Amino acid sequence: MSNDITFPANQRIVELDIRGMTCASCVGRVERKLGKIDGVEALVNLPLESARITVPENVSNEQLIATVQSAGYQASLKVDQYAATGTPGNGESGEAPSPAATGEPSKQLGTNHASDTAGDELKKRLVIGAIFTVPLFIISMIPGAQFPHWGWVALVLATPVVFWSAWPFHRAAAINARHFASTMDTLVSIGVLAAYFFSLWQLIADPNITAHIGMSMSEHALYFETAGVVATFLLLGRWLEARAKSRAGNALKALLDLGAKEATVLRNGVETQIAASELVPGDEFVVRPGEKIATDGYVVAGHSAIDTALVTGESVPVEVGPDDTVTGATINTSGALLVRATRVGADTTLAQMSRLVSEAQTGKAPIARLADRISAVFVPIVLVTAVLTFILWLVFTGEVNSAFTAAVAVLVIACPCALGLATPIGLLVGTGRGAQLGILIRGPQVLEDTRKIDTVLLDKTGTITEGNLAVTSLSPAAGFDEAQLLALAGAAESASEHPIAHAIVAAARAKDSLRETSGFNSAPGGGVRATVGTRVVVAGRESWLQENGIELTDAHRTVLAAAQQAGATSIMVGVDGTFAGLVNLTDTIKESSAVAIAKLKELGLRPVLLTGDNAAVAKLVAAQVGIAEEDVFADVFPDGKARAVRELQARGQVVAMVGDGVNDAPALAQADLGIAMGSGTDVAIEAADLTIMGNDLAQVAQSIELSRKTLGTIKMNLFWAFAYNTAGIPIAALGFLNPMIAGAAMAASSVLVVANSLRLRSFGRK
């Protein structure tokens, strides 16, 4: 499973911001450079302009930064963007100091900040380029707009475009050339400069080349307009790409911005306004209607409805009262609450969500490896192809102009920027949209796993059902009535911590106050015994009653079987050595479960029910939600859940496990795809590949569908990127493609890849 990776104690994780990368070749170069350091593994992300690096303890951050800089790029240690409070990362975690620890201003998501800055700079160069390129194009391409010796004016117009507007391409190409490397910028720079200097040479060699007016392209050998138009088109594409990348990262930026900025803390009975980042575990703070809950905690006093949509994706507010847990960044909609903080800063649910999403976006899907291998050798091959194109055209036609045009077209059309964006931009948008819906995708491998699974194993309690048992009926034996049976059972169970005991006690309290008890005793998995007044009461399984000398008759077992057949969990009660009756409890099926299971079937998945309940109850629940009777695992104890997963895997099935409790963690880890319901425990969430922040089974189907759509989008991006370059290069080499059209097409390919990925932002919207 993708998350079953543990780092040795002598390794740590370091994240770097990297500036100056423009294509897949840049990514490959940085990864190769870092990979040459013993024990270092690096994943570099182009849209995020970052690297996530696993390093041994003996490798310093300074060494990593110097290595990236030696490859020709700028690098700096990423500031921990999740922590509101914290201390500098130690050597084991590899985290950078938090803003609170260093006194530095809080840093928002690097992608957006870097893209916005780059976009502003590109916009300036694009505007200047367009101002000069439009008249350059008109006088070069439209005979009626020409005048004597217009070539010299074309030279003047082209110069600022080639040397100022296109400077980012030349600068990147020069830096890479110093390191004996080549990237997409190398192709652009060579193509633009070749067109410019070839034209300049023609103009100097024959000053009268444009002495006449009304010349068509075939009548002159000047390509100033090619240099200007190609540079301008590529700048336009790069600017649109920067804007789209900024939009693509907005989901995670919005997630990071969800947290409350201030908290009203209660200290010594006095309310004080402080920054939310200053809260510490144990602080009690007041949350009034309409305010965000400042951090994770539990309710000390008050009742309210909490809007959790921003974190869980669920639209229905959740009712909370004393002892109920609440999550930071959710909104208090009604009554005032007093909350005690339990987790702050980088430990909060919101911070963990942000970290999981960011790590997923930084990762690299297996499907991207092919693109990496191709891009590593792509640019040198293109350079060789362009030279061969020029030579062959010259040999077979003897026309220098045609040979030059074809060679420049090859250089321009081949730029592999779309290839470098295809995977990471799709992953960036898909995981960001998932975060908005309360779905956390742990890493790129998960996308591949969701495509392979064919069976979904669903834990019953808390997943298909609400997980809250309630007394729904009583079956008193002869000599007892319902009120007496419930009162005795409730009193006997009052000292137990078991959820079933809580449900019985709650039902008894609703009818009358509990009676005094003494001599309480319990047996794990068996039941309880206590003296209520003068009567000895036992409650639990049949085996527990037998241990206490109480035997069930055939008539009693008939009543028990009927209750279980109706879907109840029945607790047997004995009083003074006599069977007194049954207390029947049921767990409500979630309203969305049947629809969600139908959706799983639509996705080609086989739902299987897993429960510790008896077979009769399990089959009844399965029938109500649309699971086949043969797809039920009943009477499964906690340690048997992982065994059930292995059993299905042994049959050749690829299994996804959905669970929410501590006892689900082994099964989640054993499954090919683990899906944790976020209303469950941290242990379950850590063991899972996908985390659903809500408790709605419909989100499970939605998470699988989103993962598959994200993978499909990435595959579509890669297909078009490969198809574009594969088809474009031979067309250009054969002379069928003008360099200006090639430039426009190349710029459009990158924008289209990003635009295709941005379609994922509408996933789940009706």
Side-chain angles (χ1 to χ4, degrees), residues 445-492:
Q445 177 64 47
V446 176
L447 303 180
E448 298 280 355
D449 293 341
T450 58
R451 181 176 59 86
K452 298 172 186 174
I453 60 171
D454 53 34
T455 303
V456 179
L457 199 54
L458 303 166
D459 183 47
K460 180 182 79 72
T461 306
T463 301
I464 291 177
T465 65
E466 295 288 355
N468 299 316
L469 286 170
V471 175
T472 51
S473 67
L474 297 154
S475 304
F480 296 89
D481 59 30
E482 290 188 359
Q484 188 181 19
L485 176 64
L486 182 59
L488 290 169

Short mmCIF file of all heavy atoms in Angstrom, two decimals, residues 445-492:
data_model
loop_
_atom_site.label_atom_id
_atom_site.label_comp_id
_atom_site.label_asym_id
_atom_site.label_seq_id
_atom_site.Cartn_x
_atom_site.Cartn_y
_atom_site.Cartn_z
N GLN A 445 0.03 7.48 -5.83
CA GLN A 445 -0.17 6.04 -6.02
C GLN A 445 -1.63 5.65 -5.79
O GLN A 445 -2.14 4.71 -6.40
CB GLN A 445 0.73 5.27 -5.06
CG GLN A 445 0.56 3.76 -5.09
CD GLN A 445 0.95 3.15 -6.43
OE1 GLN A 445 2.01 3.49 -6.96
NE2 GLN A 445 0.09 2.30 -6.97
N VAL A 446 -2.30 6.41 -4.92
CA VAL A 446 -3.70 6.11 -4.60
C VAL A 446 -4.57 6.18 -5.85
O VAL A 446 -5.52 5.42 -6.01
CB VAL A 446 -4.22 7.07 -3.51
CG1 VAL A 446 -5.71 6.84 -3.23
CG2 VAL A 446 -3.42 6.90 -2.24
N LEU A 447 -4.25 7.10 -6.74
CA LEU A 447 -5.03 7.24 -7.98
C LEU A 447 -4.98 5.95 -8.78
O LEU A 447 -5.99 5.51 -9.33
CB LEU A 447 -4.49 8.40 -8.82
CG LEU A 447 -4.42 9.77 -8.15
CD1 LEU A 447 -3.85 10.79 -9.12
CD2 LEU A 447 -5.80 10.21 -7.67
N GLU A 448 -3.81 5.34 -8.85
CA GLU A 448 -3.67 4.07 -9.57
C GLU A 448 -4.43 2.97 -8.83
O GLU A 448 -5.07 2.11 -9.45
CB GLU A 448 -2.19 3.70 -9.67
CG GLU A 448 -1.33 4.68 -10.45
CD GLU A 448 -1.44 4.50 -11.95
OE1 GLU A 448 -2.12 3.54 -12.39
OE2 GLU A 448 -0.87 5.31 -12.69
N ASP A 449 -4.37 2.98 -7.49
CA ASP A 449 -5.02 1.94 -6.70
C ASP A 449 -6.53 1.96 -6.88
O ASP A 449 -7.18 0.91 -6.91
CB ASP A 449 -4.67 2.10 -5.21
CG ASP A 449 -3.20 1.82 -4.94
OD1 ASP A 449 -2.55 1.18 -5.78
OD2 ASP A 449 -2.69 2.28 -3.89
N THR A 450 -7.13 3.16 -6.96
CA THR A 450 -8.59 3.24 -7.09
C THR A 450 -9.06 2.66 -8.42
O THR A 450 -10.20 2.20 -8.52
CB THR A 450 -9.08 4.70 -6.99
OG1 THR A 450 -8.45 5.49 -7.99
CG2 THR A 450 -8.79 5.28 -5.62
N ARG A 451 -8.19 2.68 -9.41
CA ARG A 451 -8.56 2.10 -10.71
C ARG A 451 -8.58 0.58 -10.66
O ARG A 451 -9.34 -0.06 -11.38
CB ARG A 451 -7.56 2.59 -11.77
CG ARG A 451 -7.83 2.10 -13.18
CD ARG A 451 -6.84 2.71 -14.15
NE ARG A 451 -5.47 2.37 -13.80
CZ ARG A 451 -4.84 1.25 -14.20
NH1 ARG A 451 -5.50 0.36 -14.92
NH2 ARG A 451 -3.59 1.03 -13.88
N LYS A 452 -7.76 -0.01 -9.77
CA LYS A 452 -7.59 -1.47 -9.75
C LYS A 452 -8.58 -2.18 -8.84
O LYS A 452 -8.88 -3.36 -9.05
CB LYS A 452 -6.17 -1.81 -9.29
CG LYS A 452 -5.07 -1.29 -10.21
CD LYS A 452 -3.71 -1.50 -9.58
CE LYS A 452 -2.60 -0.87 -10.42
NZ LYS A 452 -1.28 -0.94 -9.74
N ILE A 453 -9.09 -1.51 -7.81
CA ILE A 453 -9.93 -2.21 -6.83
C ILE A 453 -11.23 -2.70 -7.46
O ILE A 453 -11.78 -2.07 -8.36
CB ILE A 453 -10.24 -1.34 -5.60
CG1 ILE A 453 -10.99 -0.07 -6.00
CG2 ILE A 453 -8.98 -1.03 -4.84
CD1 ILE A 453 -11.50 0.72 -4.81
N ASP A 454 -11.72 -3.86 -6.97
CA ASP A 454 -12.99 -4.40 -7.46
C ASP A 454 -13.95 -4.74 -6.32
O ASP A 454 -15.10 -5.06 -6.54
CB ASP A 454 -12.76 -5.64 -8.33
CG ASP A 454 -11.90 -6.69 -7.64
OD1 ASP A 454 -12.00 -6.84 -6.41
OD2 ASP A 454 -11.12 -7.37 -8.34
N THR A 455 -13.44 -4.68 -5.06
CA THR A 455 -14.26 -5.03 -3.91
C THR A 455 -14.09 -3.97 -2.81
O THR A 455 -12.97 -3.55 -2.54
CB THR A 455 -13.84 -6.40 -3.35
OG1 THR A 455 -13.96 -7.38 -4.38
CG2 THR A 455 -14.73 -6.80 -2.17
N VAL A 456 -15.20 -3.56 -2.22
CA VAL A 456 -15.15 -2.59 -1.11
C VAL A 456 -15.71 -3.26 0.14
O VAL A 456 -16.87 -3.67 0.17
CB VAL A 456 -15.96 -1.32 -1.43
CG1 VAL A 456 -15.90 -0.35 -0.26
CG2 VAL A 456 -15.43 -0.65 -2.68
N LEU A 457 -14.87 -3.37 1.16
CA LEU A 457 -15.26 -3.98 2.42
C LEU A 457 -15.70 -2.87 3.37
O LEU A 457 -14.92 -1.97 3.69
CB LEU A 457 -14.06 -4.74 3.00
CG LEU A 457 -14.31 -5.81 4.06
CD1 LEU A 457 -15.32 -6.84 3.57
CD2 LEU A 457 -13.00 -6.50 4.42
N LEU A 458 -16.96 -2.94 3.81
CA LEU A 458 -17.55 -1.86 4.60
C LEU A 458 -17.80 -2.32 6.03
O LEU A 458 -18.55 -3.29 6.26
CB LEU A 458 -18.87 -1.40 3.97
CG LEU A 458 -18.81 -0.93 2.52
CD1 LEU A 458 -20.21 -0.83 1.95
CD2 LEU A 458 -18.09 0.40 2.42
N ASP A 459 -17.19 -1.66 7.00
CA ASP A 459 -17.50 -1.91 8.40
C ASP A 459 -18.92 -1.40 8.66
O ASP A 459 -19.30 -0.33 8.18
CB ASP A 459 -16.48 -1.18 9.28
CG ASP A 459 -16.71 -1.45 10.75
OD1 ASP A 459 -16.88 -2.62 11.10
OD2 ASP A 459 -16.71 -0.49 11.53
N LYS A 460 -19.72 -2.17 9.41
CA LYS A 460 -21.12 -1.77 9.60
C LYS A 460 -21.28 -0.58 10.53
O LYS A 460 -21.82 0.46 10.15
CB LYS A 460 -21.94 -2.96 10.14
CG LYS A 460 -23.43 -2.61 10.36
CD LYS A 460 -24.20 -3.76 10.93
CE LYS A 460 -23.98 -3.91 12.42
NZ LYS A 460 -24.62 -2.85 13.23
N THR A 461 -20.79 -0.73 11.75
CA THR A 461 -21.06 0.28 12.78
C THR A 461 -20.25 1.55 12.53
O THR A 461 -19.02 1.52 12.47
CB THR A 461 -20.73 -0.27 14.17
OG1 THR A 461 -21.45 -1.49 14.36
CG2 THR A 461 -21.12 0.72 15.25
N GLY A 462 -20.95 2.66 12.38
CA GLY A 462 -20.29 3.94 12.16
C GLY A 462 -20.02 4.24 10.70
O GLY A 462 -19.68 5.37 10.34
N THR A 463 -20.13 3.21 9.84
CA THR A 463 -19.89 3.42 8.41
C THR A 463 -21.20 3.34 7.64
O THR A 463 -21.63 4.29 7.00
CB THR A 463 -18.88 2.38 7.87
OG1 THR A 463 -17.66 2.49 8.60
CG2 THR A 463 -18.61 2.60 6.40
N ILE A 464 -21.87 2.18 7.75
CA ILE A 464 -23.20 2.03 7.13
C ILE A 464 -24.29 2.53 8.08
O ILE A 464 -25.28 3.12 7.67
CB ILE A 464 -23.44 0.56 6.74
CG1 ILE A 464 -22.52 0.17 5.58
CG2 ILE A 464 -24.90 0.34 6.34
CD1 ILE A 464 -22.64 -1.28 5.17
N THR A 465 -24.06 2.29 9.38
CA THR A 465 -25.03 2.74 10.38
C THR A 465 -24.50 3.95 11.13
O THR A 465 -23.34 4.31 11.01
CB THR A 465 -25.33 1.60 11.39
OG1 THR A 465 -24.12 1.32 12.12
CG2 THR A 465 -25.79 0.34 10.66
N GLU A 466 -25.35 4.55 11.92
CA GLU A 466 -24.96 5.75 12.67
C GLU A 466 -23.94 5.45 13.76
O GLU A 466 -23.18 6.31 14.18
CB GLU A 466 -26.20 6.40 13.32
CG GLU A 466 -27.22 6.93 12.34
CD GLU A 466 -26.75 8.19 11.63
OE1 GLU A 466 -25.68 8.71 11.98
OE2 GLU A 466 -27.47 8.65 10.73
N GLY A 467 -23.93 4.19 14.23
CA GLY A 467 -22.98 3.83 15.28
C GLY A 467 -23.48 4.17 16.67
O GLY A 467 -22.75 4.07 17.64
N ASN A 468 -24.76 4.58 16.77
CA ASN A 468 -25.33 4.94 18.08
C ASN A 468 -26.50 4.01 18.38
O ASN A 468 -27.60 4.17 17.85
CB ASN A 468 -25.82 6.39 18.08
CG ASN A 468 -24.69 7.37 17.83
OD1 ASN A 468 -23.61 7.22 18.39
ND2 ASN A 468 -24.93 8.34 16.97
N LEU A 469 -26.25 2.99 19.22
CA LEU A 469 -27.32 2.06 19.58
C LEU A 469 -28.34 2.74 20.48
O LEU A 469 -27.99 3.57 21.32
CB LEU A 469 -26.73 0.84 20.30
CG LEU A 469 -25.96 -0.17 19.43
CD1 LEU A 469 -25.23 -1.17 20.31
CD2 LEU A 469 -26.91 -0.88 18.48
N ALA A 470 -29.58 2.36 20.32
CA ALA A 470 -30.65 2.89 21.16
C ALA A 470 -31.62 1.76 21.47
O ALA A 470 -31.86 0.87 20.63
CB ALA A 470 -31.37 4.02 20.45
N VAL A 471 -32.19 1.77 22.67
CA VAL A 471 -33.18 0.76 23.05
C VAL A 471 -34.46 1.01 22.25
O VAL A 471 -35.03 2.09 22.30
CB VAL A 471 -33.47 0.82 24.57
CG1 VAL A 471 -34.59 -0.15 24.94
CG2 VAL A 471 -32.21 0.52 25.36
N THR A 472 -34.88 -0.02 21.51
CA THR A 472 -36.08 0.15 20.66
C THR A 472 -37.24 -0.73 21.10
O THR A 472 -38.38 -0.47 20.74
CB THR A 472 -35.74 -0.16 19.19
OG1 THR A 472 -35.08 -1.43 19.13
CG2 THR A 472 -34.82 0.91 18.61
N SER A 473 -36.94 -1.79 21.88
CA SER A 473 -38.04 -2.64 22.38
C SER A 473 -37.57 -3.44 23.58
O SER A 473 -36.36 -3.59 23.81
CB SER A 473 -38.55 -3.59 21.28
OG SER A 473 -37.55 -4.54 20.95
N LEU A 474 -38.55 -3.94 24.34
CA LEU A 474 -38.28 -4.77 25.52
C LEU A 474 -39.12 -6.04 25.43
O LEU A 474 -40.28 -5.99 25.00
CB LEU A 474 -38.61 -4.01 26.80
CG LEU A 474 -37.77 -2.74 27.05
CD1 LEU A 474 -38.54 -1.77 27.92
CD2 LEU A 474 -36.45 -3.10 27.70
N SER A 475 -38.53 -7.17 25.81
CA SER A 475 -39.25 -8.45 25.77
C SER A 475 -39.20 -9.08 27.17
O SER A 475 -38.33 -9.92 27.45
CB SER A 475 -38.62 -9.40 24.74
OG SER A 475 -38.56 -8.80 23.47
N PRO A 476 -40.08 -8.62 28.08
CA PRO A 476 -40.04 -9.15 29.46
C PRO A 476 -40.53 -10.59 29.53
O PRO A 476 -41.41 -11.01 28.78
CB PRO A 476 -40.96 -8.20 30.22
CG PRO A 476 -41.90 -7.67 29.20
CD PRO A 476 -41.13 -7.61 27.91
N ALA A 477 -39.93 -11.38 30.42
CA ALA A 477 -40.38 -12.76 30.66
C ALA A 477 -41.53 -12.74 31.66
O ALA A 477 -41.88 -11.69 32.22
CB ALA A 477 -39.21 -13.59 31.20
N ALA A 478 -42.11 -13.88 31.86
CA ALA A 478 -43.24 -13.99 32.78
C ALA A 478 -42.83 -13.52 34.18
O ALA A 478 -41.74 -13.86 34.67
CB ALA A 478 -43.73 -15.43 32.84
N GLY A 479 -43.65 -12.71 34.79
CA GLY A 479 -43.39 -12.21 36.13
C GLY A 479 -42.75 -10.83 36.14
O GLY A 479 -42.50 -10.27 37.22
N PHE A 480 -42.43 -10.30 34.97
CA PHE A 480 -41.81 -8.97 34.88
C PHE A 480 -42.58 -8.13 33.85
O PHE A 480 -43.15 -8.67 32.89
CB PHE A 480 -40.34 -9.08 34.44
CG PHE A 480 -39.47 -9.81 35.43
CD1 PHE A 480 -39.32 -11.20 35.36
CD2 PHE A 480 -38.82 -9.13 36.44
CE1 PHE A 480 -38.52 -11.88 36.26
CE2 PHE A 480 -38.01 -9.81 37.35
CZ PHE A 480 -37.86 -11.18 37.26
N ASP A 481 -42.56 -6.80 34.03
CA ASP A 481 -43.13 -5.92 33.01
C ASP A 481 -42.00 -5.08 32.40
O ASP A 481 -40.86 -5.11 32.88
CB ASP A 481 -44.25 -5.05 33.57
CG ASP A 481 -43.78 -4.17 34.73
OD1 ASP A 481 -42.58 -3.78 34.76
OD2 ASP A 481 -44.61 -3.87 35.62
N GLU A 482 -42.32 -4.34 31.35
CA GLU A 482 -41.30 -3.58 30.62
C GLU A 482 -40.61 -2.54 31.50
O GLU A 482 -39.38 -2.39 31.47
CB GLU A 482 -41.92 -2.91 29.39
CG GLU A 482 -42.32 -3.87 28.30
CD GLU A 482 -42.74 -3.16 27.02
OE1 GLU A 482 -42.73 -1.91 27.00
OE2 GLU A 482 -43.07 -3.85 26.03
N ALA A 483 -41.39 -1.81 32.28
CA ALA A 483 -40.81 -0.76 33.12
C ALA A 483 -39.85 -1.35 34.15
O ALA A 483 -38.76 -0.81 34.40
CB ALA A 483 -41.92 0.02 33.82
N GLN A 484 -40.26 -2.45 34.77
CA GLN A 484 -39.42 -3.10 35.78
C GLN A 484 -38.14 -3.63 35.16
O GLN A 484 -37.05 -3.48 35.71
CB GLN A 484 -40.23 -4.24 36.42
CG GLN A 484 -39.55 -4.89 37.62
CD GLN A 484 -40.39 -6.02 38.20
OE1 GLN A 484 -41.29 -6.55 37.53
NE2 GLN A 484 -40.12 -6.39 39.45
N LEU A 485 -38.27 -4.28 33.98
CA LEU A 485 -37.11 -4.84 33.28
C LEU A 485 -36.10 -3.76 32.93
O LEU A 485 -34.89 -3.90 33.18
CB LEU A 485 -37.57 -5.56 32.00
CG LEU A 485 -36.47 -6.12 31.10
CD1 LEU A 485 -35.69 -7.21 31.80
CD2 LEU A 485 -37.09 -6.65 29.79
N LEU A 486 -36.58 -2.64 32.38
CA LEU A 486 -35.69 -1.55 31.97
C LEU A 486 -35.03 -0.88 33.18
O LEU A 486 -33.83 -0.56 33.16
CB LEU A 486 -36.46 -0.51 31.14
CG LEU A 486 -35.64 0.67 30.60
CD1 LEU A 486 -34.51 0.18 29.70
CD2 LEU A 486 -36.55 1.64 29.83
N ALA A 487 -35.78 -0.71 34.25
CA ALA A 487 -35.24 -0.06 35.45
C ALA A 487 -34.13 -0.89 36.07
O ALA A 487 -33.07 -0.36 36.46
CB ALA A 487 -36.36 0.19 36.46
N LEU A 488 -34.33 -2.19 36.17
CA LEU A 488 -33.32 -3.06 36.75
C LEU A 488 -32.07 -3.15 35.86
O LEU A 488 -30.94 -3.09 36.35
CB LEU A 488 -33.91 -4.47 36.98
CG LEU A 488 -34.96 -4.58 38.10
CD1 LEU A 488 -35.66 -5.93 38.04
CD2 LEU A 488 -34.30 -4.35 39.47
N ALA A 489 -32.30 -3.28 34.56
CA ALA A 489 -31.17 -3.37 33.63
C ALA A 489 -30.38 -2.06 33.62
O ALA A 489 -29.13 -2.07 33.62
CB ALA A 489 -31.66 -3.70 32.23
N GLY A 490 -31.08 -0.93 33.62
CA GLY A 490 -30.41 0.36 33.59
C GLY A 490 -29.57 0.60 34.83
O GLY A 490 -28.44 1.11 34.76
N ALA A 491 -30.09 0.21 35.99
CA ALA A 491 -29.35 0.39 37.23
C ALA A 491 -28.10 -0.50 37.24
O ALA A 491 -27.01 -0.06 37.63
CB ALA A 491 -30.24 0.05 38.42
N ALA A 492 -28.25 -1.76 36.79
CA ALA A 492 -27.11 -2.68 36.77
C ALA A 492 -26.01 -2.21 35.83
O ALA A 492 -24.82 -2.39 36.10
CB ALA A 492 -27.59 -4.08 36.38
#
